[in-house]
Amino acid sequence: MELFTSWHSWADAEPELRRRLPEATVAVLHKAVAGAARWHGDQRRPTGAPYTDHLLEALEILVRGARVTDPDVLAAAVLHDTIEDTACTREDLNIAYGPRVAELVSWVTIPEAGPGQDKAAVKEASLRGLAAAPPAAITVKLADRASNVQTLRNLPLARQRAYYAQTTELIMPLAAGQPWFTAWFAQWQAGHADLA
């Protein structure tokens, strides 16, 4: 299973982005990375790594792995957690990056649990709802989850098992029709079968 963990900053990502993508797309991504860094600030992943590492991993997965070139999908991957985890709103994204990026990010945003709602149940319902999402939004979610699970072994065992179950049940079926993601997640599942 190939890992996508080499882009930790714009300086790491930019040379390969320039080799693979048109200049206009690179400019959009530079703006998206700067915006994500500003909104996420000094947030950290559960592993302690800077949160922007996750966003750049999702981008790296799409560019180097899945060979996605659509600038809106790539920008949405970088920005995918802004509404969920920061003060950024859908309207902020709409103004800064356009309505399609805002829509894609909205599709993958897990809503806050309301009064009396179970947070885990809300998340599960949101993930199940992705079956009705546009293919581009599913692509963003697949990159997000691939980033998260490629370093799953860095988490406590109970969290690894729960995330494995959620990924195999709710996320992997979304990869149907996307051969690169289907193959990548199959390799990942085989390498983590002890968590079943």
Side-chain angles (χ1 to χ4, degrees):
M1 176 188 81
E2 185 175 5
L3 296 180
F4 298 89
T5 58
S6 60
W7 294 355
H8 301 283
S9 68
W10 177 253
D12 293 338
E14 184 180 17
E16 190 159 357
L17 292 173
R18 289 195 181 284
R19 281 194 301 276
R20 292 177 178 264
L21 300 169
E23 180 59 37
T25 302
V26 174
V28 167
L29 294 175
H30 187 220
K31 181 179 176 184
V33 169
R38 184 177 66 253
W39 278 310
H40 285 283
D42 59 3
Q43 287 178 350
R44 297 275 173 183
R45 296 178 84 175
T47 60
Y51 202 81
T52 53
D53 280 8
H54 166 55
L55 308 174
L56 289 167
E57 285 174 11
L59 177 62
E60 185 178 1
I61 287 162
L62 291 177
V63 172
R64 288 187 49 239
R67 305 278 197 247
V68 172
T69 58
D70 182 319
D72 289 341
V73 173
L74 297 174
V78 172
L79 298 161
H80 76 267
D81 279 329
T82 53
I83 296 174
E84 187 174 328
D85 294 338
T86 78
C88 179
T89 67
R90 181 175 177 160
E91 186 57 24
D92 292 333
L93 294 180
N94 188 46
I95 291 166
Y97 306 99
R100 185 165 181 245
V101 171
E103 177 191 14
L104 295 175
V105 172
S106 291
W107 268 104
V108 300
T109 297
I110 297 169
E112 284 188 43
Q117 287 185 307
D118 177 63
K119 184 177 178 180
V122 170
K123 181 175 184 175
E124 182 177 332
S126 178
L127 293 176
R128 287 189 187 284
L130 286 171
I138 291 171
T139 299
V140 171
K141 185 61 188 179
L142 292 170
D144 167 30
R145 185 55 64 109
S147 167
N148 285 331
V149 300
Q150 68 182 346
T151 56
L152 188 62
R153 300 283 187 195
N154 296 338
L155 299 175
L157 185 57
R159 184 137 185 216
Q160 289 180 45
R161 286 191 172 128
Y163 219 69
Y164 175 90
Q166 185 183 77
T167 300
T168 56
E169 180 185 345
L170 301 175
I171 303 300
M172 288 178 63
L174 297 173
Q178 297 201 33
W180 186 87
F181 278 110
T182 299
W184 190 91
F185 276 107
Q187 290 176 358
W188 171 82
Q189 184 178 23
H192 292 77
D194 59 294
L195 298 175

